[in-house]
Amino acid sequence: MTVGSPATMRAWEVSQPAPIETGPLRYVEKPVPAPAPGELLVQVLACAVCRTDLHVSEGDLPVHREHVTPGHMVVGRAAELGEGVTDYALGDRVGVAWLRHTDGICAYCRRGNENLCPNSRYTGWDADGGYAEYTTVPAAFAYRLPADVPDVELAPLLCAGIIGYRALLRASLPEHGKLGLYGFGDSAHLVAQLALAQGATVHALTRGAASQRLALELGAASVGGAYDSPPEPLDSAILFAPVGDLVPVAMRALDRGGVLAVAGIHLTDTPPLNYERELFYEKELRSVTSNTRDDGREFLELALRYHVRATTHVYPMSQAQQALQDLKAGVFDGAAVLVNEEAP
Ligand SMILES: [Zn+2]
Ligand SMILES: [Zn+2]
């Protein structure tokens, strides 16, 4: 079924992974993809920019698909339904996120940890994503989105928000606990709102005056540099900055029994940990790997209930490469969101 999608579209693709300043992305004209059975073709209205897109573009993550189109925080409209899709209708508002396939049969999937599935596939890495006018998504991995939140505000919730939420769960924040956030970008500023709404005390440890200002505006109890000590011991911490050097720093800031969750998909090497200062007293260091669809649905529900809203910086789709360069340079706070100029 179709509502008359055009034959071709503008889309970004990674020509050859390289430092983003050197322009590894190309803006090309290519055919609008046809949805496979079980998939939706989605007209992209807004696509938020993730640090993972930077890792895909620069080669920190190995190439999974030649000339891939990045982007995995898409708010769009169902423009065509692949064979067998019955739970979506043309024109439905849908979200496309990072996780797009799991096998459903491995031990991890069967015990509810589909985020660990060895056969998982990801949007904007294994399959073309949302830095384009159209993209596809398996209907089983699409999210239904509320009608009353603007596209641009909703898009960053779809990875920054969902992954941040999983990191918050992994950090085992106790009720009314003290939470340290290392790095305060797209993901952290959403997690902070959720944690604050649920009664936590939040300390933001981040470089950059803009990020510190945003943290205070949202209600953080304190801000400091990433290598500074927070004013009180932390029950939980989340490391968003992809900087392994901060692992021992954050571990030292934990209270007895505290947990550090590392949220990124990529982290520079960690220096050795000192057992007495950084691990003893049952401190825990945990990683965060992707998310389950349940995490996603839960987070979207909580985000709407608690009015979690992204601070956004809008770029036209044609400026995607600039948005990634700006992300790397840390020139904006909150989340960058790409919008297609014209949406019929
Ligand atoms: Zn992401
Ligand atoms: Zn599996």
Side-chain angles (χ1 to χ4, degrees):
M1 280 182 84
T2 169
V3 282
S5 312
T8 64
M9 64 175 186
R10 299 304 303 272
W12 286 93
E13 57 179 40
V14 180
S15 55
Q16 175 73 40
I20 196 71
E21 303 78 15
T22 66
L25 299 184
R26 272 191 318 223
Y27 203 29
V28 300
E29 186 85 18
K30 60 190 282 188
V32 170
E39 287 187 347
L40 307 172
L41 176 70
V42 176
Q43 183 192 7
V44 177
L45 302 173
C47 181
V49 174
C50 181
R51 188 164 288 277
T52 301
D53 305 336
L54 192 58
H55 296 320
V56 167
S57 304
E58 296 199 316
D60 295 320
L61 292 177
V63 175
H64 275 194
R65 175 180 167 82
E66 293 278 332
H67 299 154
V68 72
T69 296
H72 55 270
M73 291 190 261
V74 174
V75 174
R77 259 199 298 260
E80 277 181 47
L81 309 180
E83 200 188 313
V85 173
T86 54
D87 43 354
Y88 284 91
L90 289 179
D92 278 359
R93 201 170 192 222
V94 293
V96 182
W98 177 234
L99 185 69
R100 71 182 288 116
H101 171 83
T102 55
D103 60 17
I105 55 167
C106 73
Y108 311 102
C109 283
R110 279 188 281 123
R111 72 178 194 215
N113 290 129
E114 68 176 350
N115 61 308
L116 301 179
C117 180
N119 297 310
S120 56
R121 290 200 289 269
Y122 301 97
T123 307
W125 190 22
D126 297 290
D128 289 333
Y131 286 24
E133 290 176 275
Y134 290 86
T135 190
T136 60
V137 64
F141 286 79
Y143 291 94
R144 291 193 175 279
L145 298 177
D148 53 348
V149 184
D151 302 330
V152 165
E153 283 182 31
L154 214 39
L157 302 184
L158 288 163
C159 174
I162 293 172
I163 297 286
Y165 177 64
R166 176 138 194 121
L168 185 64
L169 296 178
R170 292 284 292 157
S172 297
L173 180 66
E175 212 178 330
H176 303 297
K178 298 164 189 72
L179 174 67
L181 299 176
Y182 287 82
F184 202 84
D186 53 356
S187 213
H189 91 291
L190 296 170
V191 168
Q193 292 175 54
L194 186 56
L196 286 161
Q198 294 179 311
T201 301
V202 171
H203 300 287
L205 298 129
T206 183
R207 65 178 176 160
S211 303
Q212 293 188 348
R213 200 164 46 239
L214 176 60
L216 289 173
E217 277 167 22
L218 292 173
S222 81
V223 294
Y227 289 85
D228 294 344
S229 295
E232 58 183 345
L234 305 171
D235 298 306
S236 303
I238 304 174
L239 176 57
F240 289 105
V243 181
D245 282 343
L246 287 172
V247 168
V249 173
M251 293 302 289
R252 283 198 294 278
L254 292 177
D255 202 352
R256 296 179 179 205
V259 178
L260 170 65
V262 178
I265 191 170
H266 169 79
L267 187 72
T268 57
D269 285 348
T270 61
L273 292 176
N274 177 276
Y275 185 68
E276 195 186 329
R277 284 196 310 268
E278 291 149 8
L279 285 166
F280 197 57
Y281 295 118
E282 303 200 343
K283 295 181 183 184
E284 289 182 58
L285 170 59
R286 297 180 184 168
S287 64
V288 178
T289 301
S290 184
N291 64 275
T292 66
R293 281 170 281 178
D294 283 346
D295 294 331
R297 288 187 283 257
E298 255 173 56
F299 171 72
L300 290 172
E301 222 181 282
L302 288 170
L304 295 171
R305 189 189 312 161
Y306 291 113
H307 304 287
V308 172
R309 291 290 182 272
T311 298
T312 54
H313 297 262
V314 174
Y315 292 77
M317 186 60 77
S318 57
Q319 296 298 308
Q321 191 139 247
Q322 186 63 49
L324 283 168
Q325 290 174 4
D326 291 350
L327 172 68
K328 188 177 183 182
V331 304
F332 55 78
D333 52 344
V337 182
L338 308 170
V339 294
N340 279 308
E341 286 78 358
E342 180 266 4

